[in-house]
Amino acid sequence: MGHPFPIREIARQAGLSEATVDRVLNGRGGVRESTAEEVRRAIADLDRQRTQVRLVGRTFMVDIVMQAPERFTTAVRAALETELPSLHPAVLRCRFHFRETGTVQEQVAILDRIARRGSQGVILKAPDVPEIGAAVGRLAAAGIPVVTLVTDLPASPRLAYVGIDNRAAGATAAYLMGQWLGERPGNVLTTLASGFFRNEEEREMGFRGAVRARHPERALVEITEGQGLDATQYDLVRAALERDPDIRAVYSIGGGNIATLRAFADLGRECAVFVAHDLDHDNTRLLREHRLSAVLHHDLRQDMREACHTVLRAHGALPPAGPTLPSAIQVVTPYNMPPQAAAG
């Protein structure tokens, strides 16, 4: 396994012992394939990050822990690695712990492992449940600052939340939905990845409150636990459409939009208005094809930059700043897509 990195650096990146890394690199056996894959991934991460930053200044090791569909974690990774050069003279090295699905216990195990081996910071997207909050408490007790991303854990001792005002985003979606549906009859399907992510709960509450205030006659039909994955989302959406022939529009809070549109098409149903979140790869393509009405977007690069700055401030590497403000909510249509998305 060719590489230009010292064993100590690879071990730190992978979160493994130097002896384990040595066994993998020299093919001595006695390690699981999953461990060997962690070493290969660590080398790839080091190689990719080395091309974007000069190894000068103080180095901080930060762990990025997220439960989200692959299309979103890919966007987060790209945004973070694009921002790394802007952090000079400090240098951030990142370990990524991404899962599309998993139990709360598995995510707690990841956080506890980070607390034991050490880190300069954790950027976290996780369900708002007591077990996760307790794990964040253990990280804080170990002197590791935690920044929540996209979805908050307000009852935990996290250092800051970075992301949009999710209630305002939901209300914005309701406003757009009302403008486009007008007085036409029809119910609205709201789709959540999971009921345990606070950002989704707050978006749904903002949406529902605004619809009730402006269009109390319009019924909302909710589905959840699709995890934002097309494989599970399709069955949930199709079942909802079969139960309710009056569904005419969708507010997608948690993703899985390709599957949602396929369910409409397979049943010969029209989706008159479709509002979604985030310009990931799937939504960029769907918006360009005019299959989405609008996407509520926020600048992930700005979010990742703010999250990293918050970690650096916690270590005194940057001067103190005021409270973190919510990210701007951008209403993106096929005609005002950001240049990078429009060219993708």
Side-chain angles (χ1 to χ4, degrees):
M1 193 182 299
H3 64 87
F5 306 105
I7 287 178
R8 178 177 299 177
E9 193 170 0
I10 297 171
R12 187 182 184 204
Q13 178 73 27
L16 300 170
S17 70
E18 292 182 30
T20 298
V21 171
D22 183 71
R23 285 199 299 274
V24 172
L25 295 178
N26 292 288
R28 295 199 179 98
V31 294
R32 293 173 295 186
E33 175 57 29
S34 60
T35 302
E37 177 58 29
E38 288 183 34
V39 173
R40 289 191 287 268
R41 191 162 54 243
I43 292 172
D45 286 343
L46 286 169
D47 187 61
R48 185 173 53 253
Q49 293 174 35
R50 191 180 65 163
T51 65
Q52 299 186 57
V53 296
R54 292 174 55 221
L55 300 183
V56 296
R58 187 175 171 188
T59 299
F60 297 84
M61 181 62 74
V62 176
D63 290 270
I64 320 299
V65 183
M66 301 188 70
Q67 180 177 323
E70 184 272 338
R71 61 180 179 273
F72 185 73
T73 56
T74 296
V76 167
R77 183 195 289 261
L80 173 60
E81 293 181 345
T82 301
E83 286 301 309
L84 290 180
S86 72
L87 302 174
H88 283 281
V91 174
L92 261 71
R93 283 291 177 82
C94 305
R95 292 185 290 232
F96 298 97
H97 313 267
F98 292 160
R99 306 172 66 91
E100 287 200 308
T101 60
T103 66
V104 168
Q105 290 73 23
E106 288 169 335
Q107 200 152 30
V108 167
I110 292 171
L111 298 175
D112 284 343
R113 188 162 63 247
I114 293 169
R116 288 193 299 271
R117 75 184 178 201
S119 177
Q120 274 73 55
V122 172
I123 299 173
L124 175 65
K125 177 184 182 295
D128 183 15
V129 295
E131 296 89 341
I132 297 291
V136 171
R138 292 189 286 274
L139 287 165
I144 300 172
V146 177
V147 179
T148 52
L149 178 72
V150 178
T151 184
D152 199 10
L153 304 169
S156 75
R158 53 89 172 124
L159 189 61
Y161 162 70
V162 174
I164 61 174
D165 179 333
N166 285 293
R167 283 184 186 249
T172 301
Y175 174 80
L176 295 173
M177 192 73 69
Q179 292 294 105
W180 281 324
L181 282 178
E183 300 304 319
R184 286 181 290 171
N187 299 336
V188 179
L189 180 67
T190 61
T191 72
L192 292 80
S194 172
F196 294 104
F197 286 102
R198 176 169 286 268
N199 66 323
E200 296 192 9
E201 178 186 11
E202 291 181 341
R203 290 173 187 178
E204 193 276 337
M205 288 190 293
F207 184 80
R208 186 176 296 274
V211 169
R212 283 176 175 169
R214 298 174 63 89
H215 303 279
E217 77 289 348
R218 199 175 299 283
L220 303 182
V221 180
E222 179 182 308
I223 59 173
T224 187
E225 304 310 320
Q227 304 303 321
L229 304 176
D230 289 332
T232 48
Q233 184 78 356
Y234 177 85
D235 291 337
L236 291 170
V237 174
R238 180 163 182 144
L241 293 176
E242 289 173 340
R243 289 192 303 268
D244 189 335
D246 294 325
I247 293 174
R248 295 286 183 271
V250 173
Y251 174 36
S252 172
I253 297 172
N257 300 326
I258 290 175
T260 297
L261 286 166
R262 182 160 54 89
F264 271 86
D266 287 353
L267 292 174
R269 299 271 290 275
E270 177 196 12
C271 183
V273 182
F274 198 134
V275 179
H277 279 271
D278 300 320
L279 276 179
D280 56 35
H281 180 271
D282 287 354
N283 285 346
T284 297
R285 177 169 64 83
L286 294 173
L287 190 62
R288 189 183 296 123
E289 295 171 354
H290 291 240
R291 299 173 69 192
L292 298 179
S293 307
V295 171
L296 301 180
H297 181 61
H298 59 286
D299 188 342
L300 271 178
R301 287 183 56 179
Q302 177 182 328
D303 286 353
M304 298 312 299
R305 182 166 62 250
E306 180 60 33
C308 291
H309 283 174
T310 301
V311 170
L312 293 176
R313 290 188 196 104
H315 292 282
L318 287 177
T324 302
L325 299 176
S327 306
I329 302 168
Q330 305 172 31
V331 179
V332 183
T333 73
Y335 301 102
N336 71 328
M337 296 175 69
Q340 186 174 9

